[in-house]
Amino acid sequence: MQNDRRLKPSWIWWPWSYPRGVIDVSDTKTDWGTSKFLHSEITSIEYINSDVLFVGLLNGEIWYLSIDEKIKTKIFPKRKNKNSPPISSLLYLNQKIYSLLENLLIEYDLNTRVLTEVIIGERNKEKLVEFTFDDKNNLYILTYQGNIIEYDINKRTHRQIFRSKNDILSYNDKVTKVEFFENKFIFSTLNGWIYIFDQDNRELKFKQRILAHNSEIVSLYYDKELNKLFSSSSQGTFCIIDINFDQNTPQSRIDIDFGVNSIITDVKSLNIEDKKFIIMSNSQGNLSLLNLELNEVYNYIKKFINN
């Protein structure tokens, strides 16, 4: 860690059997070798198993990493591009890695080592932001313009299913994040709303919306086991909602304000020794583990405020 207790941009914290638990993948003096190294900040990580992961970089590259074998292999792009935007999304499905870059959906087959690039969107001018998977055959891809595109990974076909100027949105609002769970499609917006849809015969039917924040939602995550929806905003607020699809019943929720200097940038869940934890990253470069037992939540908030 750096002096301010943050991980360096080129470091990966690795809690499994690796000395000190931190790997500096940009250090050319280590056993990783001097001919190939990650010379850019890591912007996304996709965990495969305790040995293998893929990382996306600020310079638009995607790398395969084997921790045990100390192997690093660049899989994208084939040719170096100095003006390439960062890789912000990675997804592992059925022995394939998917990512987004500009208007391209990138597919890399781990078995055949074949890289496929698919142009997505109308008139080939859509800028792809992020995606989610419906546990069947479809990716739901969000564009910078606020449109949502459905992509069939088997047929390799796509269609637009939601337009940014949809009447269901409030005035001047726009989709910022997408998530899918149990035949429910959800997205968050610029004005702090969360919209929930049912998936019925490949069509999305509006069910309800929840005002989670008063500003742009920057992270959105659903935990199926807990049946809780986690979100954070650009103003530093953090919200945990118990999902209830009965619109006549109030949603049970916990709201925490960390402040604009500690914006929660991403949220995931994991199990440690039969306990459920939420792992959060923030704009200061910190990682935090949160035990969801109520007393633990309050202790965490108290500790955070005191610091």
Side-chain angles (χ1 to χ4, degrees):
M1 290 189 178
Q2 301 183 88
N3 293 333
D4 58 0
R5 301 191 62 79
R6 293 185 299 165
L7 289 175
K8 289 172 57 180
S10 59
W11 281 12
I12 299 174
W13 179 70
W14 197 255
W16 297 278
S17 70
Y18 197 87
R20 296 183 301 279
V22 175
I23 305 168
D24 186 353
V25 292
S26 67
D27 187 357
T28 60
K29 296 179 181 179
T30 66
D31 293 336
W32 286 84
T34 57
S35 61
K36 291 184 178 180
F37 58 97
L38 306 188
H39 44 275
S40 181
E41 294 183 17
I42 296 172
T43 53
S44 56
I45 298 177
E46 182 68 357
Y47 165 87
I48 309 302
N49 54 46
S50 59
D51 170 46
V52 175
L53 70 159
F54 286 81
V55 295
L57 304 184
L58 185 66
N59 64 6
E61 296 177 353
I62 301 174
W63 287 70
Y64 163 91
L65 304 180
S66 173
I67 306 302
D68 291 340
E69 298 179 359
K70 297 179 181 177
I71 294 175
K72 294 185 292 186
T73 304
K74 187 178 75 171
I75 64 172
F76 180 86
K78 295 179 180 178
R79 297 178 181 176
K80 192 171 183 179
N81 185 353
K82 293 183 179 181
N83 299 318
S84 183
I87 300 294
S88 58
S89 297
L90 290 172
L91 186 64
Y92 174 65
L93 297 171
N94 303 322
Q95 292 297 305
K96 293 180 180 179
I97 284 287
Y98 294 90
S99 187
L100 306 173
L101 187 70
E102 295 288 355
N103 66 330
L104 294 177
L105 173 68
I106 301 164
E107 175 191 294
Y108 181 76
D109 192 311
L110 274 65
N111 293 324
T112 63
R113 298 185 180 181
V114 172
L115 181 70
T116 304
E117 300 176 10
V118 181
I119 298 176
I120 299 292
E122 297 180 351
R123 300 182 302 277
N124 303 335
K125 294 182 179 180
E126 295 275 19
K127 182 179 179 181
L128 311 181
V129 177
E130 68 168 30
F131 50 22
T132 186
F133 183 58
D134 69 355
D135 295 324
K136 295 178 182 176
N137 301 315
N138 301 309
L139 295 173
Y140 289 98
I141 304 172
L142 173 65
T143 74
Y144 176 79
Q145 293 82 357
N147 301 318
I148 300 174
I149 297 170
E150 180 188 78
Y151 176 80
D152 190 311
I153 61 175
N154 292 332
K155 297 179 181 179
R156 289 183 175 172
T157 58
H158 63 274
R159 66 188 182 110
Q160 185 167 269
I161 61 171
F162 188 89
R163 293 185 178 274
S164 59
K165 296 182 179 180
N166 195 297
D167 292 338
I168 201 172
L169 294 176
S170 303
Y171 174 72
N172 211 26
D173 207 359
K174 188 176 79 168
V175 180
T176 59
K177 294 287 178 180
V178 291
E179 184 71 275
F180 194 94
F181 63 92
E182 295 182 339
N183 291 324
K184 295 287 189 296
F185 178 78
I186 63 175
F187 62 70
S188 60
T189 74
L190 198 65
N191 292 340
W193 287 95
I194 295 176
Y195 288 78
I196 302 176
F197 296 80
D198 285 327
Q199 186 190 50
D200 185 14
N201 294 325
R202 296 190 66 202
E203 298 297 328
L204 298 181
K205 296 184 177 180
F206 174 71
K207 191 170 184 65
Q208 67 184 112
R209 70 174 186 168
I210 304 167
L211 183 59
H213 304 271
N214 293 319
S215 58
E216 178 184 354
I217 294 178
V218 296
S219 71
L220 184 66
Y221 176 70
Y222 173 75
D223 186 283
K224 179 179 179 181
E225 184 178 329
L226 295 172
N227 194 35
K228 295 181 186 294
L229 187 61
F230 301 83
S231 62
S232 65
S233 80
S234 60
Q235 293 299 308
T237 55
F238 182 64
C239 183
I240 306 173
I241 300 175
D242 287 324
I243 293 298
N244 186 338
F245 296 112
D246 182 359
Q247 298 189 44
N248 297 319
T249 302
Q251 304 283 347
S252 175
R253 58 189 287 170
I254 297 175
D255 291 278
I256 307 171
D257 190 348
F258 293 123
V260 294
N261 293 324
S262 297
I263 298 169
I264 302 300
T265 55
D266 202 3
V267 183
K268 292 292 184 290
S269 63
L270 70 161
N271 293 304
I272 302 177
E273 296 179 352
D274 298 325
K275 287 186 178 182
K276 173 71 74 171
F277 288 85
I278 298 300
I279 185 169
M280 303 180 296
S281 62
N282 71 9
S283 55
Q284 297 296 317
N286 298 316
L287 288 177
S288 302
L289 279 177
L290 177 63
N291 186 332
L292 285 186
E293 293 181 7
L294 192 57
N295 61 324
E296 294 290 342
V297 174
Y298 289 129
N299 288 337
Y300 176 82
I301 298 171
K302 183 178 179 180
K303 180 180 178 181
F304 188 91
I305 293 175
N306 291 337
N307 290 338

